[in-house]
Amino acid sequence: MGKSSKDKRDLYYRKAKEEGWRARSAFKLLQLDSQFHLLQGLNRVVDLCAAPGSWSQVLSQRVQNEDAKIVAVDLQPMSPIDGVVTLQADITHPKTLSRILDIFGGEPADFVCSDGAPDVTGLHDLDEYIQAQLILSALELATALLRPGGSFVAKIFRGRDIDLMYSQLGLLFEKVTCAKPRSSRGTSLEAFIVCQGYTPRPGWKPQLGKPLQVGDTIESQGQDLEERMVAPFIACGDLSAYDSDATYSNKKAKTSLDPVQSPTAPPYKKAVDMRRKGLLRK
Ligand code: SAM
């Protein structure tokens, strides 16, 4: 689907460009915040899987404190954003934690979020596995970075065994909610876990080298985890706002808008460079 057809079909995609957001995902964080008031009084914030940076844009606008620090981490390079330190790193790599802590001078974070999504291969089981690993890595980083009482938000896909993840999260946070912002397509399994009130388990140390396994780690350190939990589900954002699955007539969409931030390292970059040098025929 080309740029202009997306402009016509997806109002959030177009609205993001009109309002200067680098991606339509900005509305998801804004709608989560309007429901849960997550972005008040923050000093140290970590945005995992942050490129192209619309969540970091929201964070830099909302976190106004002069001493505040926002760290954005992604595999991809990110164009700079005022007030945000960007780190090109893999969230599954053990050294990423110490790189973030160095930026915070060893102080804990108030808020960690992750909107991580792997490149889809089309092999459903593999894609699901990599997505699960990303969520676990984000959670491991969150448990190692957050101060007691801090919050964690992450994108999930509501698949098999998600109730087991809610149970495990329920042992680490006072309140766990599954939230679906209005701007997240109703037809997609995407949702966000909103975990508030981090309560580190006494004696439990996150082990970054040894990833959390379903049914592992927390029970193996003295917790019984027999019951699966159903987290409350909340649809958030103004329900009279645009429905991301609906079609609206939009006269303005006749003009296609340029992206707010062109991709820094697009997969087609090599081909464009080769064509420019005359090494590739049209
Ligand atoms: N929240 C972002 C925004 O508002 O602009 C959009 C995030 S995008 C949906 C998902 C991102 O996850 C991609 O930029 C991708 O590079 C990143 N990602 C995937 N695997 C990663 C990993 N292992 N470490 C760091 N970033 C990763």
Side-chain angles (χ1 to χ4, degrees):
M1 185 165 57
K3 186 173 71 169
S4 72
S5 61
K6 254 192 177 176
D7 257 10
K8 283 178 197 149
R9 211 200 61 174
D10 184 342
L11 278 186
Y12 283 102
Y13 177 80
R14 183 175 176 92
K15 205 161 129 66
K17 291 201 277 188
E18 285 173 356
E19 293 181 13
W21 304 113
R22 292 182 181 185
R24 70 192 290 294
S25 322
F27 297 110
K28 298 176 191 170
L29 184 58
L30 287 167
Q31 290 170 352
L32 288 169
D33 184 45
S34 73
Q35 178 73 38
F36 296 96
H37 313 292
L38 298 160
L39 308 182
Q40 289 166 2
L42 303 179
N43 283 317
R44 280 171 298 275
V45 175
V46 185
D47 182 8
L48 299 171
C49 302
S54 75
W55 279 27
S56 291
Q57 286 179 292
V58 171
L59 292 167
S60 83
Q61 286 191 11
R62 290 292 165 95
V63 181
Q64 291 290 348
N65 180 347
E66 267 186 20
D67 302 325
K69 282 195 176 138
I70 303 168
V71 181
V73 184
D74 202 285
L75 283 176
Q76 303 294 331
M78 254 174 80
S79 299
I81 297 174
D82 265 355
V84 177
V85 179
T86 55
L87 202 61
Q88 189 174 356
D90 185 342
I91 68 160
T92 65
H93 195 286
K95 284 204 176 134
T96 302
L97 171 65
S98 55
R99 292 179 69 188
I100 299 171
L101 279 173
D102 280 351
I103 297 169
F104 288 155
E107 296 292 317
D110 305 302
F111 180 66
V112 176
C113 58
S114 171
D115 188 23
D119 282 342
V120 175
T121 64
L123 301 170
H124 188 68
D125 287 350
L126 180 64
D127 290 338
E128 204 176 302
Y129 175 79
I130 298 174
Q131 179 65 37
Q133 288 306 309
L134 266 190
I135 298 168
L136 290 176
S137 296
L139 175 61
E140 280 187 309
L141 279 173
T143 56
L145 285 164
L146 281 176
R147 66 165 167 79
S151 309
F152 172 59
V153 168
K155 172 152 75 191
I156 54 164
F157 290 91
R158 287 163 296 150
R160 234 180 8 194
D161 288 333
I162 198 67
D163 46 354
L164 199 48
M165 172 177 275
Y166 295 149
S167 309
Q168 296 209 330
L169 290 169
L171 295 172
L172 294 166
F173 293 88
E174 280 165 21
K175 195 170 161 207
V176 178
T177 312
C178 175
K180 179 84 174 169
R182 185 77 170 155
S183 51
S184 170
R185 291 188 182 90
T187 46
S188 130
L189 284 179
E190 175 187 271
F192 293 84
I193 35 164
V194 179
C195 308
Q196 293 167 286
Y198 178 47
T199 319
R201 310 300 302 171
W204 185 60
K205 290 198 182 68
Q207 297 164 290
L208 289 183
K210 178 180 173 290
L212 279 168
Q213 307 283 332
V214 170
D216 181 22
T217 311
I218 295 175
E219 301 105 294
S220 66
Q221 298 192 23
Q223 291 296 318
D224 251 351
L225 189 64
E226 281 167 11
E227 304 233 332
R228 293 181 171 228
M229 182 182 134
V230 179
F233 183 87
I234 290 188
C236 57
D238 179 358
L239 293 185
S240 61
Y242 295 122
D243 175 348
S244 44
D245 285 313
T247 307
Y248 299 89
S249 82
N250 181 0
K251 289 194 185 106
K252 285 198 286 180
K254 283 191 176 134
T255 51
S256 168
L257 301 174
D258 285 331
V260 172
Q261 176 63 55
S262 304
T264 35
Y268 50 80
K269 187 169 185 288
K270 193 171 165 199
V272 172
D273 289 346
M274 284 172 73
R275 177 169 291 169
R276 212 171 278 141
K277 289 177 190 155
L279 300 172
L280 207 66
R281 269 191 254 126
K282 289 200 176 177

